Amino acid sequence: MPHTPEPDEDDLDAIAPPQPVFHVEQALLGALLLNPHRLDDVCGITADSFSTTAHAALYAAISTLPQPDPAEHAKNTTWLDRVLATALEETRGLTASYLHALVQVCPWPSHAPAYARMVEAEHARRRLLTATEHLVHTVHDASLPHPVQTVLAEADALAAVVDDIANRFPPRSGVLPRTPAPPPTAADDTEAVEEEQLLLATATARPDDIDAVRWLLPDDLTLPLHAGLWQCLTTLARRDEPIDPVTVLWEAQQRGLLDDGADPGEVLRMLAEPAGSVGHWAERALRRSLLATAEHTGRRIEAYASDSANTPFQLVAGARRALADIAAVRTRWQHAAGTAPVQQRRAAPATRAGPPTTTAAHAARPTRATR
């Protein structure tokens, strides 16, 4: 039976226990307070690597103040007092008793480099989570004047974080996150459905324009029926066979697209109402697909980074595999928009990688012969 606290009882159960990294940070700080010279053995972290402002302020004070003479430090608390005073300039609530408690909880001061590596690994996880949150938020920001460019910039920023983590924790071959990837978000967009219907109808009416939008794939469309009909259209065009609503419907039947109860009459009516241009509707569909891919990639990496059982090696391997999906649709978007850049050599950064370049200039493709 669940415990019901008395009216005058503190509700301590509502306070979540500290995460393991909190105890690791305490052990590291305790080692450095006890033996300040061990700071020379610690690398890869800064004050920003710590999970609390108090720990960050203490580490900043320890790393900026001159190290005390070991003999003097063993006899008095002068240096500890200076650390406390310096840290209190950045945060409140620290006390001398907490510093002494940190020294007491450190199990083995000589393990400070190992503790620092653990702090660095957890900081890498938090950085990855922050970058994915920015990416997903940008996808849903309706106020952006140029959403695709902004989302791709956020994807580049995420890739830079992954590159930096890889420099610090090189991935091991074949080590992928154990966390199952979340399923793609179900599409529920009336505007998308209407625009895809116009794309299919316009391509049926103007089949010679299909070849110019070969960068659009069936998976870019939101509904399985629409994806299947687009595949019917591209297949008929590739075979140079007659294309009209009836021939497309027949091809759809051969592919089993009507087996789920789709009304043939509704399909014919949909394919008989063209408007606009194939290129316009295809670009709209690809834009929507790029944004959806970016969101799913962000959610996927977020799931990996939220699982504390995944090591930095696994996070890098999983994130890079997920980012490859954005790179693929990005290449097709650049071809559609005519902005495919010349591939540039990317220098390996020391601590933080720059945005990756993933595509080469798109070679011109011959147009399909006029019917």
Side-chain angles (χ1 to χ4, degrees), residues 200-226:
L200 296 168
T202 307
T204 301
R206 303 181 182 89
D208 291 330
D209 294 341
I210 295 175
D211 189 67
V213 295
R214 285 183 291 178
W215 33 259
L216 186 70
L217 301 180
D219 287 345
D220 292 322
L221 305 186
T222 59
L223 296 183
L225 176 61
H226 292 177

Side-chain angles (χ1 to χ4, degrees), residues 213-281:
V213 295
R214 285 183 291 178
W215 33 259
L216 186 70
L217 301 180
D219 287 345
D220 292 322
L221 305 186
T222 59
L223 296 183
L225 176 61
H226 292 177
L229 289 173
W230 181 250
Q231 191 166 24
C232 292
L233 282 162
T234 56
T235 299
L236 291 172
R238 186 175 63 251
R239 295 174 183 165
D240 200 23
E241 296 182 6
I243 294 179
D244 61 36
V246 173
T247 61
V248 174
L249 178 66
W250 185 255
E251 181 72 17
Q253 176 180 279
Q254 302 305 301
R255 292 175 176 269
L257 298 180
L258 308 180
D259 293 349
D260 61 355
D263 183 350
E266 288 294 331
V267 173
L268 284 175
R269 282 188 288 273
M270 177 184 69
L271 296 176
E273 298 178 356
S277 68
V278 174
H280 171 75
W281 299 123

Side-chain angles (χ1 to χ4, degrees), residues 22 26 29 33 54-55 58 93-103:
F22 180 84
Q26 285 188 320
L29 293 171
L33 291 171
H55 288 177
L58 282 173
L94 286 170
T95 62
S97 62
Y98 185 65
L99 269 63
H100 289 287
L102 291 175
V103 173

